[in-house]
Amino acid sequence: MSKILFVMTGADHWTLADGTKHPTGYWAEEAAAPYGVFKDAGHEIVVATPGGVVPHVDKGSLAPEANGGEEGAAKVSQTLASFAELQHPLRLEDVRLDDYDAVFYPGGHGPMEDLAVNADSGKLLTRALETGKPLALVCHAPAAMLAATGSDGANSFAGFRLTGFTNAEESQAGFADKAKWLLQDRLVEAGVDFRESEPWAPHVVSDRNLVTGQNPSSSAPLATELLKKLA
């Protein structure tokens, strides 16, 4: 049995370009689907958030239209109800990477608000890369990479092949013209080798100890790929 750290946003909103606070948090499927994969494989899950706040689910991610219908929505809600670890998160500031076998970041717009500028998360990500610890991030969670810098000041993920929520998807979701910045643009500026696939289709990219997923539908395949790195 391995111990997997879920690093999750503590934000309940995302500040848009005009100052509006859009209600958000983590995206349900991106936490629930990997949780199910990891638990079914017998692994232990520990949650950490900035300040140790209980993470907020984006209410929109619980809707049937976000989960392929009523059945999918019910399954996600049931999984989250069984995800007891969500109610007892550690303070991200107190986490010791050495205590875990792998690290996973679910997305949602929340990470764009807090993890993108969180130094503790940035240090954790940089150390995970340096030590070869299996590391996975999905959808908007790669925003956390923007806070990860090495001793030379360069982004720790520069040169890595990876993916995340694309400009095309953000546009189709209706936020591209409202956001302060777009994730794909910032990651490319940071020097990563961004790999984009069709909007909303499952897409997972693996490079060394890093695994990334493009969007919510990539969550379960991403989790399966991470388990291979734990084998």
Side-chain angles (χ1 to χ4, degrees), residues 3 5 46 48 90-103 124 127 133:
K3 198 172 185 180
L5 177 69
V46 176
L90 301 180
R91 282 166 33 96
L92 180 57
E93 302 87 323
D94 300 332
V95 164
R96 293 180 65 256
L97 180 64
D98 293 346
D99 294 339
Y100 303 94
D101 300 293
V103 180
L124 183 80
R127 180 159 164 71
K133 187 87 63 175

Side-chain angles (χ1 to χ4, degrees), residues 14 16 22-24 27 30 58 60-61 65-66 108-109 112 139-140 165-179 182-183 199-200 214-216:
W14 175 35
L16 302 178
H22 173 70
T24 187
W27 197 257
E30 295 169 26
D58 187 314
S61 69
E65 54 267 31
H109 279 118
M112 302 274 281
C139 202
H140 286 92
F165 204 65
T166 65
N167 290 354
E169 287 166 325
E170 202 72 86
S171 181
Q172 291 178 23
F175 287 105
D177 59 348
K178 300 175 183 177
L182 298 179
L183 179 60
W200 312 110
Q214 180 172 313
N215 45 39

Side-chain angles (χ1 to χ4, degrees), residues 39-95:
K39 278 293 190 178
D40 287 347
H43 299 305
E44 179 183 353
I45 305 299
V46 176
V47 173
T49 64
V53 303
V54 175
H56 302 265
V57 65
D58 187 314
K59 297 297 193 294
S61 69
L62 298 173
E65 54 267 31
N67 293 284
E70 295 283 355
E71 186 176 340
K75 182 179 179 182
V76 164
S77 292
Q78 288 167 4
T79 300
L80 291 181
S82 69
F83 193 162
E85 296 89 343
L86 282 173
Q87 303 306 315
H88 308 283
L90 301 180
R91 282 166 33 96
L92 180 57
E93 302 87 323
D94 300 332
V95 164

Side-chain angles (χ1 to χ4, degrees), residues 3-35:
K3 198 172 185 180
I4 302 175
L5 177 69
F6 272 50
V7 179
M8 300 181 66
T9 177
D12 62 1
H13 68 275
W14 175 35
T15 306
L16 302 178
D18 65 357
T20 301
K21 292 185 176 182
H22 173 70
T24 187
Y26 70 89
W27 197 257
E29 180 181 1
E30 295 169 26
Y35 181 78

